[in-house]
């Protein structure tokens, strides 16, 4: 059995030398666009990786720069030689985390992710006492209290985030939802954001699946997809989570797996086969299940025949492409088709719909200045469309965009594509 | 190492945000897109935004005897911006304002950090274009492309960067600001300074502003692709197209090795047994004129036994171009690294040059795919290597020596558009002779007596 890129420096080196340093990635990198310096962009990080492997540098500055990346994969689309940057950045972070360690707060968070029942209890406990840390700013909206502002730049007066649900989506949902004549059976992989922060999106997805006669399975024991730990280089924990999820899929054996979160979808479809490279047993499983993973919009249009909603939803909508959906899952036509299928919806494209929103999971907390700069230009593009709704298909983007509408006074509501479809169905009856 | 006093002076001149000194921030400024050349991590990187600031930096560098390495986007293919000592890199990427677009005089006045594609997007709003279109145009800066006299796909019909520079402002290595040229079409005042500074590779002065010529965007275009069983037929087609007095905007050639690799990689439906293909596009402002030129090209192709396809729609045009766009990506899949050369010959010698490259590939047991701008004789032999294979890298060096020899023997030149930098300095004497080297040294010494500006590049001072 060969060694994987995460275990062997030579394998990593072989990926690094594929970069010819042409610099084309500068044209599309959101971090470079905001910071205008070479360390921001993929080729710079690859050069840093080379220097690191040669033993020329190994310090906190290096760590800061290697983590200064949204892993949005925009550079991979612009790369003329097909450098596998996604693999490279994970491998470099993995090596750095082993060499230099992670901050304790992240360690704690990651440890809890791999202990789902504790993670679940912890978040629920937090939801009960969130008022101590977060004050109410509107329906289902919270903002950090003043004493938290010392935690970092991002926790300023304008920062808002969705309220933590007191009951998670999987708590309030049966594990099997039957329909009279099912077209197909699908497992709904909820992901943590929908489960804890946006349970109403979970409800909308169920409604849409029911309307389209899909028998849906929502097993309570599904885990975090592993993306958050993976992008921080903790490949071991990511594998642990991935194995649990893959074993669950094996056991339940659904026809399809559906996601409503671009990052979860990308993890299941692309990152699982990648992290299990050379682990024959799980690589085979990962590849097998990757084939059956669909984001909810492609599932509705490609796998089954969408029941077109009849009720009207008179709205001007613009669509934001989540990076993990467009650049990893290669889905950008279907969400637009779903929007266009809703009577009354007028889809207006913004200037650069596939420009990253600057969220990047926890990137927006660690690199607040750059994240906000990226978000600001996104919000200007949204504003210029004069749309009433900015629709997208990723809870992390929704959080970031939602905050952007408040911070930059943009008069648009942020919605999941499927929530609009669900709303149209609801109006039928 | 740069002294603290020098760094502090830079910070008070530009502000902390515009001076990088941490090792990790400096490493990404130690290269450009040229493989296998000597390089050094600079001592600092500075980001000026005004001419006065550039002047201030030059004065500081003179005072503290610090070498200066000007840099645009670092996409150069000959080592132009690569530091060779712990000097200071001046990055122009934050000095990137389009100062004026003059739609009556058809000029654009820009700061050096403006990206070529950004300028083109702006002038397109007025139905104008800035024609030089190097492969790196989505990121390359005007300052860098002017300093390297960059070419591109449209060179045959529209010329290269030097044909579009009307005037400039430079900061001299001795610290003075020097402006010349302007918006007039005609200008014979004094020496032709644009000719001196365009392509000077950052060795004579630092470009701080450029006045560029714009032209109306051609309204009509027609693309076609042609396949040939022999290299000779393809070469004769190139010659006959020009003889028929058609100057295509694009006249690209691809050899069999490249065709096979592209087809294998991109499956765009290319005949893998063809010895060569030509991608041709004619354009202009009159529909009939363009149609007539396209007809003439087709006749030439037929006469030379070529099979061809003409694009009737934009979608079909895109499909034809997909083959050309896939050339480099496809070749890059074969081996870990690609070395892209740009030896250039008179267009009547293209077939001889292609043959010579194929023989060199055989002799040194290397994989070389050649594509390039047939219309202007500018070929891009792309050598595919594994940098970890020491033996292959040694053969690569010998092969490159012979490629340049072959180009010069055919009456060509070392570089059509990539520049000399450090990569080709050792061959310079073969083309220019001792007297040429002497002229270069005298020019360099006259303008940069302390050898402070991009030392070690272009001019072989040690010869």
């Amino acid at each position: 059995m060969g060694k994987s890129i995460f275990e062997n420096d030579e394998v990593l080196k072989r990926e690094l030398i594929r970069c010819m340093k042409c610099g084309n990635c500068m044209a599309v990198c959101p971090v470079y666009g905001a910071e205008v310096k070479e360390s921001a962009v993929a080729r710079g990080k690859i050069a840093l990786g080379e220097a690191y492997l040669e033993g020329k540098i190994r310090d906190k500055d290096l760590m800061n720069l290697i983590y200064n990346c949204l892993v949005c994969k925009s550079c991979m689309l612009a790369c003329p030689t097909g450098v596998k940057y996604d693999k490279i950045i994970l491998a470099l972070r993995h090596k750095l985390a082993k060499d230099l360690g992670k901050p304790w707060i992240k360690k704690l968070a990651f440890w809890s992710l791999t202990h789902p029942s504790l993670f679940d209890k912890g978040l629920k406990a937090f939801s009960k006492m969130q008022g101590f840390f977060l004050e109410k700013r509107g329906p289902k909206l919270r903002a950090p209290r003043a004493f938290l502002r010392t935690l970092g730049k991002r926790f300023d007066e304008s920062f808002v985030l969705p309220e933590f649900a007191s009951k998670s989506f999987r708590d309030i949902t049966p594990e099997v939802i039957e329909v009279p004549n099912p077209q197909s059976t699908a497992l709904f992989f909820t992901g943590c954001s929908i489960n804890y922060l946006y349970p109403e999106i979970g409800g909308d997805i169920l409604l849409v699946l029911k309307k389209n006669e899909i028998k849906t399975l929502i097993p309570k024991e599904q885990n975090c997809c592993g993306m958050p730990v993976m992008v921080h280089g903790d490949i071991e924990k990511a594998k642990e989570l991935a194995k649990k999820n893959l074993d669950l899929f094996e056991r339940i054996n659904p026809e399809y797996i559906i996601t409503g979160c671009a990052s979860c979808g990308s993890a299941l479809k692309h990152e699982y086969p990648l992290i299990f490279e050379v682990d024959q047993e799980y690589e085979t499983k990962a590849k097998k299940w990757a084939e059956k993973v669909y984001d909810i919009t492609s599932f509705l249009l490609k796998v089954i025949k969408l029941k077109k909603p009849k009720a009207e939803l008179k709205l001007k909508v613009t669509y934001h492409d989540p990076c993990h959906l467009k650049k990893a899952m290669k889905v950008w036509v279907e969400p637009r088709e779903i929007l266009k299928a809703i009577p009354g919806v007028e889809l207006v494209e913004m200037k650069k719909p596939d420009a990253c929103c600057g969220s990047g999971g926890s990137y927006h907390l660690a690199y607040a200045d750059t994240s906000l700069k990226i978000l600001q230009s996104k919000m200007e593009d949204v504003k210029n469309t004069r749309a009433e709704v900015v629709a997208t298909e990723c809870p992390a983007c929704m959080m970031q965009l939602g905050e952007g509408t408040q911070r930059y006074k943009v008069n648009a509501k942020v919605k999941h594509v499927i929530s609009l479809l669900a709303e149209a169905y609801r109006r039928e009856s | 190492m740069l002294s603290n006093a020098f760094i502090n002076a830079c910070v008070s001149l530009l502000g902390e945000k515009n001076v990088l000194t941490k090792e990790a921030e400096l490493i990404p400024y130690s290269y450009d897109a040229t493989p296998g050349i000597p390089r050094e991590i600079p001592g600092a990187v500075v980001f000026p935004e005004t001419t006065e600031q550039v002047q201030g930096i030059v004065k500081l560098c003179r005072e503290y005897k610090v070498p200066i390495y000007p840099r645009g986007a670092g996409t150069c293919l000959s080592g132009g911006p690569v530091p060779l000592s712990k000097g200071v890199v001046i990055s122009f990427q934050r000095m990137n304002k389009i100062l004026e677009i003059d739609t009556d005089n058809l000029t654009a006045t820009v700061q050096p950090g403006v990206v070529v594609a950004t300028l083109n997007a702006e002038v397109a709003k007025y139905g104008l274009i800035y024609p030089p279109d190097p492969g790196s145009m989505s990121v390359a800066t005007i300052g860098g492309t002017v300093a390297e006299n960059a070419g591109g796909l449209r060179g045959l019909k529209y010329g290269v960067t030097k044909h579009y520079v009307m005037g400039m402002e430079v900061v001299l290595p001795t610290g003075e600001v020097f402006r010349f040229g302007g918006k007039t079409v005609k200008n014979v005042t004094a020496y032709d300074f644009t000719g001196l500074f365009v392509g000077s590779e950052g060795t004579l002065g630092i470009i701080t502003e450029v006045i560029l010529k714009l032209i109306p965007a051609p309204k009509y275009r027609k693309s076609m692709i042609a396949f040939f069983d022999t290299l000779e037929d393809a070469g004769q087609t190139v010659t006959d197209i020009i003889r028929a007095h058609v100057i295509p905007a694009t006249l690209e050639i691809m050899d069999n090795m490249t065709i096979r690799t592209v087809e294998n990689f991109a499956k765009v439906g290319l005949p893998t047994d063809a010895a060569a293909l030509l991608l041709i596009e004619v354009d202009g402002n009159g529909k009939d004129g363009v149609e007539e030129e396209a007809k003439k090209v087709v006749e030439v192709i037929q006469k030379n036994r070529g099979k061809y396809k003409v694009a009737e729609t934009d979608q079909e045009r895109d499909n034809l171009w997909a083959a050309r766009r896939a050339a480099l990506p496809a070749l890059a899949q074969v081996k870990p690294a690609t070395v892209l050369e740009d030896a250039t010959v008179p267009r009547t010698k293209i077939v001889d040059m292609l043959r010579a490259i194929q023989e060199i590939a055989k002799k040194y047991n290397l994989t070389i795919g050649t594509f390039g701008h047939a219309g202007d004789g500018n070929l891009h032999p792309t050598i595919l290597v594994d940098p970890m294979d020491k033996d292959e890298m040694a053969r690569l060096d010998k092969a490159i020596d012979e490629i340049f020899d072959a180009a010069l023997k055919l009456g060509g030149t070392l570089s059509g558009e990539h520049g000399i930098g450090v990569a080709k300095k050792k061959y310079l004497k073969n083309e220019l002779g001792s007297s040429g080297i002497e002229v270069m040294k005298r020019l360099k010494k006259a303008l940069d007596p302390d050898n402070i500006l991009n030392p070690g590049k272009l001019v072989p001072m040690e010869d």
Side-chain angles (χ1 to χ4, degrees):
Chain A
M1 194 168 90
K3 294 262 186 188
S4 83
I5 193 168
F6 304 109
E7 296 155 343
N8 188 313
D9 286 354
E10 287 304 308
V11 182
L12 175 55
K13 226 179 245 174
R14 291 224 147 254
E15 285 301 332
L16 292 171
I17 56 171
R18 297 201 74 96
C19 170
M20 2 182 252
K21 310 283 189 302
C22 71
N24 276 5
C25 40
M26 277 185 282
V28 292
C29 173
V31 178
Y32 172 79
E35 298 186 352
V36 198
K37 58 176 187 178
E38 286 259 359
S39 68
V41 79
R43 103 168 147 173
K45 294 189 169 74
I46 287 171
L48 285 170
E50 286 168 340
Y52 175 40
L53 288 190
E54 285 164 23
K56 284 187 189 150
I57 185 165
R58 182 182 174 278
D59 60 15
K60 282 264 177 277
D61 296 332
L62 172 71
M63 185 125 168
N64 272 331
L65 295 181
I66 294 293
Y67 278 81
N68 187 21
C69 166
L70 292 148
V71 199
C72 70
K73 308 190 188 195
S74 302
C75 52
M76 294 179 72
L77 299 189
C79 179
T81 57
V83 172
K84 297 189 176 77
Y85 179 76
D86 52 353
K87 240 182 188 180
I88 288 173
I89 194 73
L90 293 187
L92 284 176
R93 288 179 177 184
H94 178 244
K95 192 172 158 60
L96 273 169
K98 277 209 295 202
D99 265 16
L100 295 169
K102 277 190 297 277
W104 68 268
I105 182 90
K106 282 190 173 166
K107 271 189 200 154
L108 180 70
F110 292 172
W111 177 82
S112 68
L113 276 178
T114 48
H115 295 75
S117 68
L118 276 172
F119 179 59
D120 191 61
K121 283 195 184 96
L123 277 186
K124 276 172 200 155
F126 182 79
S127 83
K128 288 202 181 73
M129 52 187 248
Q130 58 186 318
F132 178 71
F133 299 101
L134 310 166
E135 61 189 33
K136 252 197 157 0
R137 270 289 168 83
K140 293 195 176 168
L141 215 55
R142 295 269 175 170
R145 291 194 182 275
F147 72 89
L148 284 178
R149 301 220 173 104
T150 52
L151 272 184
K153 204 156 179 180
R154 195 64 204 271
F155 295 98
D156 63 7
E157 288 88 0
S158 308
F159 186 73
V160 286
L161 71 171
E163 191 165 85
F164 281 82
S166 56
K167 287 229 154 103
S168 78
F169 171 70
R170 293 200 297 266
D171 275 350
I172 53 170
T173 310
E175 287 196 284
V176 181
I177 294 183
E178 301 278 1
V179 289
N181 296 305
Q183 287 197 56
S184 168
T185 305
L187 185 151
F188 173 31
F189 189 86
T190 67
C192 302
S193 306
I194 288 180
N195 194 39
Y196 295 106
L197 291 168
Y198 294 108
E200 66 280 7
I201 297 176
D204 290 340
I205 288 177
L206 289 185
L207 184 145
V208 166
L209 289 173
K210 205 169 175 183
K211 188 89 191 168
N212 284 278
E213 295 166 320
I214 303 301
K215 178 179 169 184
T216 310
L217 312 171
I218 312 107
K220 290 205 194 306
E221 57 178 309
Q222 51 183 296
N223 284 280
C224 163
C225 67
M227 191 65 112
V229 290
M230 204 184 309
V231 296
H232 283 89
D234 198 340
I235 303 299
E236 287 75 20
K237 285 218 169 56
K239 280 185 176 174
E240 219 178 301
L241 288 163
K243 278 184 181 173
K244 285 184 187 169
N245 283 324
L246 288 170
D247 290 341
L248 177 78
F249 300 158
E250 290 281 330
R251 214 164 49 244
I252 296 185
N253 202 21
E255 267 184 277
Y256 298 100
I257 297 167
I258 295 174
T259 61
C261 164
S263 298
C264 294
S266 170
L268 301 183
K269 210 167 177 69
H270 291 278
E271 273 77 11
Y272 281 10
L274 190 156
I275 57 174
F276 285 119
E277 229 165 62
V278 309
D279 173 340
Q280 248 178 17
E281 186 194 343
Y282 276 93
E283 192 184 12
T284 313
K285 282 186 195 172
K287 281 186 176 160
K288 172 181 138 192
W289 288 103
E291 296 282 313
K292 302 180 187 220
V293 173
Y294 286 86
D295 83 287
I296 173 83
T297 63
S298 338
F299 178 79
L300 293 171
L301 292 168
K302 279 185 163 165
V303 180
I304 62 165
K305 201 168 174 297
L306 173 79
K307 272 214 177 86
K308 295 219 165 139
K310 294 182 198 84
E312 209 176 57
L313 213 60
K314 264 204 118 25
L315 277 177
K316 197 170 179 179
V317 180
T318 190
Y319 177 74
H320 161 72
D321 286 292
C323 293
H324 286 162
L325 193 65
K326 176 162 185 189
K327 292 150 198 169
M329 297 182 83
K330 310 273 190 263
V331 174
W332 63 89
V333 177
E334 290 80 3
R336 290 177 167 83
E337 290 301 312
I338 292 284
L339 290 171
K340 284 189 235 164
I342 305 171
V345 163
E346 181 200 350
L347 178 66
V348 271
E349 293 286 355
M350 65 180 97
K351 201 169 149 201
K352 284 183 281 180
D354 64 351
C356 178
C357 66
S359 164
S362 62
Y363 179 92
H364 70 111
L365 298 175
Y367 297 88
D369 286 336
T370 304
S371 171
L372 286 178
K373 226 172 158 179
I374 297 169
L375 176 60
Q376 188 169 7
S377 88
K378 181 98 239 175
M379 294 326 291
E380 269 160 30
D381 290 350
V382 171
K383 201 175 191 170
N384 287 334
T385 63
R386 294 165 190 248
E388 296 151 274
V389 171
V390 48
T392 189
E393 213 189 312
C394 171
C397 296
M398 286 178 65
M399 245 183 271
Q400 176 87 341
L401 294 171
E403 210 226 314
T405 55
Q406 302 263 332
R407 193 180 282 270
Y408 302 111
K409 313 270 176 279
V410 179
N411 212 357
K413 284 205 170 67
V414 181
K415 295 270 184 196
H416 196 285
V417 171
I418 288 306
S419 297
L420 293 176
L421 180 62
E423 181 57 28
Y425 283 142
R426 264 186 224 110
R427 289 193 182 185
E428 282 176 12
S429 41
Chain B
M1 279 299 281
L2 298 176
S3 70
N4 285 337
F6 174 78
I7 299 290
N8 290 339
C10 286
V11 170
S12 57
L13 183 68
L14 304 170
E16 213 159 311
K17 274 197 165 168
N18 290 318
V19 181
L20 303 178
T21 53
K22 285 178 180 163
E23 183 82 353
E25 292 280 21
L26 301 177
I27 288 171
Y29 289 88
S30 63
Y31 52 78
D32 61 5
T34 320
I37 53 166
R39 60 199 182 104
E40 181 61 70
I41 298 165
V45 178
V46 297
F47 299 88
E49 285 171 23
T50 65
T51 303
E52 291 69 38
Q53 287 179 338
V54 176
Q55 203 176 13
I57 298 162
V58 171
K59 282 183 178 155
L60 280 175
C61 288
R62 287 179 63 77
E63 190 185 331
Y64 289 88
K65 303 207 179 321
V66 175
I68 302 169
Y69 301 99
R71 181 182 181 93
T75 57
C76 185
L77 283 161
S78 55
V82 176
L84 298 174
S85 72
K86 292 268 169 214
V88 62
V89 166
I90 306 184
S91 169
F92 284 93
Q93 289 182 299
R94 297 180 190 174
M95 189 164 164
N96 60 352
K97 288 193 187 68
I98 296 174
L99 301 171
E100 185 200 47
I101 294 170
D102 182 338
T103 53
D104 296 323
N105 284 307
L106 295 184
T107 61
T109 305
V110 302
Q111 287 191 323
V114 170
V115 171
V116 178
T118 309
L119 175 64
N120 258 314
E122 279 308 309
V123 301
K125 293 175 186 166
Y126 309 96
L128 300 170
I129 56 168
Y130 170 69
D133 58 347
S136 55
M137 64 184 289
S138 69
V139 288
T141 63
I142 292 293
T145 52
V146 169
E148 295 291 333
N149 192 7
L153 262 63
R154 296 190 277 205
L156 170 63
K157 180 169 183 178
Y158 292 103
V160 299
T161 303
K162 71 175 172 191
H163 300 114
Y164 293 89
V165 178
M166 300 175 74
M168 248 192 244
E169 178 189 77
V170 296
V171 173
L172 297 169
T174 38
E176 307 97 319
V177 175
F178 176 33
R179 290 187 76 99
F180 52 84
K183 290 185 182 179
T184 61
V185 172
K186 295 177 177 175
N187 180 330
V188 293
T189 301
Y191 290 123
D192 177 13
F193 293 114
T194 50
L196 181 63
F197 284 96
V198 174
S200 63
E201 301 191 4
T203 62
L204 300 181
I206 303 173
I207 302 163
T208 47
E209 198 179 300
V210 192
I211 300 172
L212 298 166
K213 175 174 135 181
L214 306 171
I215 64 167
K219 287 195 187 70
Y220 303 96
R221 62 188 180 196
K222 196 116 202 175
S223 292
M224 57 214 92
I225 200 164
F227 306 99
F228 300 89
D229 290 338
T230 67
L231 273 181
E232 283 70 18
D233 284 346
Q236 194 57 44
T237 303
V238 172
T239 307
D240 288 348
I241 289 172
I242 308 295
R243 267 197 198 149
H245 290 183
V246 176
I247 309 290
T250 310
L251 181 42
E252 295 282 301
I253 194 164
M254 212 183 262
D255 72 353
N256 173 265
M257 161 69 195
T258 313
I259 295 172
R260 275 186 289 130
T261 314
V262 166
E263 185 51 28
N264 192 27
F265 171 75
K267 306 266 182 284
V268 282
L270 302 180
T272 51
D273 54 348
L277 74 74
L278 292 176
L279 178 67
I280 306 154
E281 183 167 287
V282 290
D283 68 1
N285 276 316
K287 197 169 184 197
D288 294 346
V290 171
E291 290 292 341
E292 195 181 317
E293 287 196 341
K295 216 177 104 203
K296 277 189 194 169
V297 172
V298 166
E299 282 166 16
V300 170
I301 295 169
Q302 285 170 328
K303 195 193 107 197
N304 287 296
R305 295 165 290 279
K307 297 180 203 72
Y308 66 95
K309 225 183 305 177
V310 181
E312 299 298 340
T313 62
D314 277 356
Q315 181 59 46
E316 284 178 22
R317 173 183 184 266
D318 266 11
N319 293 345
L320 297 190
W321 277 82
R324 174 62 176 86
R325 272 194 300 267
L328 188 56
L331 289 171
Q333 301 310 310
V334 179
K335 289 254 183 163
T338 47
V339 179
L340 193 68
E341 283 305 342
D342 81 321
T344 302
V345 293
R347 74 173 75 88
T348 46
K349 300 286 185 197
I350 291 169
V351 172
D352 303 271
M353 190 62 203
L354 285 168
R355 285 247 178 279
I357 294 168
Q358 287 174 352
E359 271 153 34
I360 293 166
K362 210 181 282 168
K363 181 172 171 190
Y364 292 103
N365 187 25
L366 291 166
T367 312
I368 308 184
T370 303
F371 57 94
H373 322 308
D376 50 36
N378 183 194
L379 294 175
H380 291 309
T382 303
I383 314 166
L384 312 177
V385 290
D386 180 353
M388 290 184 181
D389 182 341
K390 291 263 161 2
D391 182 58
E392 191 169 62
M393 295 311 276
R395 283 181 278 130
L396 167 73
D397 284 344
K398 287 189 191 141
I400 291 177
D401 289 353
E402 286 198 21
I403 288 174
F404 288 127
D405 259 359
L408 291 182
K409 276 194 192 119
L410 292 167
T413 180
L414 297 171
S415 178
E417 56 186 1
H418 294 171
I420 298 300
V422 277
K424 291 173 207 160
K425 217 169 65 170
K426 66 171 175 174
Y427 307 110
L428 212 49
K429 210 174 188 171
N430 301 344
E431 184 168 339
L432 293 182
S434 306
S435 57
I437 302 292
E438 200 48 44
V439 170
M440 289 183 66
K441 278 157 66 172
R442 281 183 214 158
L443 272 173
K444 172 74 175 167
K445 275 181 195 153
L447 285 166
D448 183 12
D450 301 318
N451 196 22
I452 199 174
L453 193 53
N454 216 3
K457 311 291 175 60
L458 182 61
V459 191
M461 297 300 277
E462 61 285 351
D463 267 23

